[in-house]
């Protein structure tokens, strides 16, 4: 077994362990299931293929061109592709055409453009709205108090399926603070469900905090370095807007 496969198995075991520690009142979806999205940004197509052969089917990518190249190289595999990076509005068309899920939607303009560009022959594009839960001014994401308004409009777009909320909380070693931010996300989702929105997804938890995220109700964890190892530093950062 190669090293990524070993790490993948270890992450899966940790996910199962976290599930046993999760309180039943923290379950926000019907079957209580957690989906692992393996974050393969900066990793080669061969690495993705290896993980796929070890049973991993959902992969997350941040950089559009890199992702499209990998999709071509891996077209023979039944991969479910998740776009998890910042979305520039001039790139909504290829994103709407080539992904099953988009996690980082944080404004109406982007949602509308994704909706307009989603091919009618495909199932609706699965969407999570990114919430700026830690209130950092540098971070993308909609402010919690503006969320209800965005949900109201996005939920009416016919070629999108609004599944839930996504966040990238402030990195911290303070477990109580991590837990509190994930809890806030759960409360936001629960409030929307109470208002009648059929949302069932909390996309939260990365390599450093996924166990706590799951205990607090995550239904999708996005994990990169814990599976593939440390990433090389990205030299050119794409402008988020
Ligand atoms: C890179 C990235 C991840 C994975 O981060 P790791 O710490 O490597 O697990 C998850 N979500 C988003 C949005 C990312 O950009």
């Amino acid at each position: 077994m190669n090293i990524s496969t070993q790490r993948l198995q270890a992450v899966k075991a940790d996910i199962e362990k976290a599930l046993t520690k999760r309180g039943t009142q923290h379950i926000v979806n019907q079957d209580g299931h957690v989906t692992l999205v393996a974050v393969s940004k900066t990793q080669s197509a061969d690495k993705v293929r290896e993980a796929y052969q070890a049973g991993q089917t959902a992969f997350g990518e941040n950089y559009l061109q890199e992702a499209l190249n990998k999709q071509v190289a891996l077209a023979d595999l039944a991969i479910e592709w998740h776009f998890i990076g910042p979305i520039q509005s001039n790139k909504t068309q290829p994103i709407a055409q080539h992904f099953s899920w988009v996690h980082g939607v944080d404004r109406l303009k982007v949602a509308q453009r994704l909706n307009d560009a989603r091919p009618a022959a495909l199932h609706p594009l699965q969407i999570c709205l990114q919430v700026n839960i830690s209130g950092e001014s540098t971070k993308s994401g909609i402010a919690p108090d503006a969320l209800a308004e965005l949900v109201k409009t996005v939920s009416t777009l016919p070629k999108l399926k609004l599944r839930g909320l996504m966040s990238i909380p402030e990195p911290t070693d303070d477990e109580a603070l991590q837990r509190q931010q994930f809890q806030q996300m759960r409360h936001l989702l629960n409030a929307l469900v109470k208002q009648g929105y059929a949302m069932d997804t909390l996309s939260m938890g990365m390599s450093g905090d996924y166990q706590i995220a799951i205990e607090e109700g995550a239904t999708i964890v996005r994990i990169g370095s814990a599976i593939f190892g440390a990433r090389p530093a990205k030299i050119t950062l794409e402008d988020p807007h």
Side-chain angles (χ1 to χ4, degrees), residues 8 61 70 78-79 83 112 128 162 169 181 183 193 211 232:
L8 179 63
E61 290 280 342
K70 268 179 238 182
I79 289 178
F83 192 82
Q112 271 164 339
C128 291
L162 178 56
Q181 299 187 79
Q183 267 165 20
V193 169
Q211 292 98 331

Side-chain angles (χ1 to χ4, degrees), residues 205-216:
M206 315 193 341
S207 292
D209 57 12
Y210 66 92
Q211 292 98 331
I212 294 170
I214 289 169
E215 287 176 39
E216 295 300 332

Side-chain angles (χ1 to χ4, degrees), residues 166-197:
M166 177 269 207
S167 77
I168 310 173
E170 186 181 354
T172 169
D173 293 332
D174 181 347
E175 192 185 312
L177 181 59
Q178 286 177 341
R179 214 172 265 288
Q180 189 199 328
Q181 299 187 79
F182 293 136
Q183 267 165 20
Q184 273 175 271
M185 290 293 291
R186 186 180 73 242
H187 293 154
L188 285 171
L189 185 77
N190 283 339
L192 291 163
V193 169
K194 238 184 188 160
Q195 288 169 43
Y197 295 106

Side-chain angles (χ1 to χ4, degrees), residues 37-41 58-62 80-84 99:
V37 172
V39 176
S40 46
K41 63 180 172 210
F59 290 87
E61 290 280 342
N62 289 55
E80 181 180 81
W81 292 102
H82 294 237
F83 192 82
I84 65 170
F99 290 83

Side-chain angles (χ1 to χ4, degrees), residues 40-236:
S40 46
K41 63 180 172 210
T42 78
Q43 307 296 341
S44 67
D46 284 346
K47 284 271 169 117
V48 174
R49 186 175 292 275
E50 265 173 30
Y52 182 88
Q53 279 158 356
Q56 180 62 31
T57 53
F59 290 87
E61 290 280 342
N62 289 55
Y63 309 108
L64 181 61
Q65 195 51 53
E66 179 194 331
L68 296 179
N69 293 345
K70 268 179 238 182
Q71 289 180 353
V72 170
L74 299 167
D76 56 317
L77 309 182
I79 289 178
E80 181 180 81
W81 292 102
H82 294 237
F83 192 82
I84 65 170
I87 306 158
Q88 295 167 265
S89 56
N90 62 344
K91 295 195 176 158
T92 44
Q93 184 168 358
I95 292 173
Q97 288 171 340
H98 295 284
F99 290 83
S100 297
W101 283 75
V102 180
H103 292 239
V105 178
D106 64 357
R107 55 201 196 281
L108 184 56
K109 181 183 170 195
V110 162
Q112 271 164 339
R113 292 179 65 111
L114 288 171
N115 179 71
D116 295 347
R118 181 66 170 175
L122 298 180
H123 65 68
L125 186 59
Q126 314 289 301
I127 297 287
C128 291
L129 297 178
Q130 184 172 353
V131 181
N132 183 354
I133 204 68
S134 47
E136 292 168 279
S137 58
T138 53
K139 226 174 223 148
S140 357
I142 182 140
D145 60 7
L147 179 63
E149 194 59 35
L150 184 62
V151 165
K152 199 171 157 185
T153 320
V154 173
S155 62
T156 65
L157 298 173
K159 287 188 276 177
L160 304 186
K161 172 99 184 93
L162 178 56
R163 292 295 298 271
L165 307 178
M166 177 269 207
S167 77
I168 310 173
E170 186 181 354
T172 169
D173 293 332
D174 181 347
E175 192 185 312
L177 181 59
Q178 286 177 341
R179 214 172 265 288
Q180 189 199 328
Q181 299 187 79
F182 293 136
Q183 267 165 20
Q184 273 175 271
M185 290 293 291
R186 186 180 73 242
H187 293 154
L188 285 171
L189 185 77
N190 283 339
L192 291 163
V193 169
K194 238 184 188 160
Q195 288 169 43
Y197 295 106
M199 294 162 76
D200 61 3
T201 300
L202 280 175
S203 168
M204 58 189 196
M206 315 193 341
S207 292
D209 57 12
Y210 66 92
Q211 292 98 331
I212 294 170
I214 289 169
E215 287 176 39
E216 295 300 332
T219 68
I220 294 182
V221 288
R222 309 175 312 265
I223 300 180
S225 46
I227 295 171
F228 296 109
R231 281 181 294 276
K234 184 89 185 158
I235 299 154
T236 49

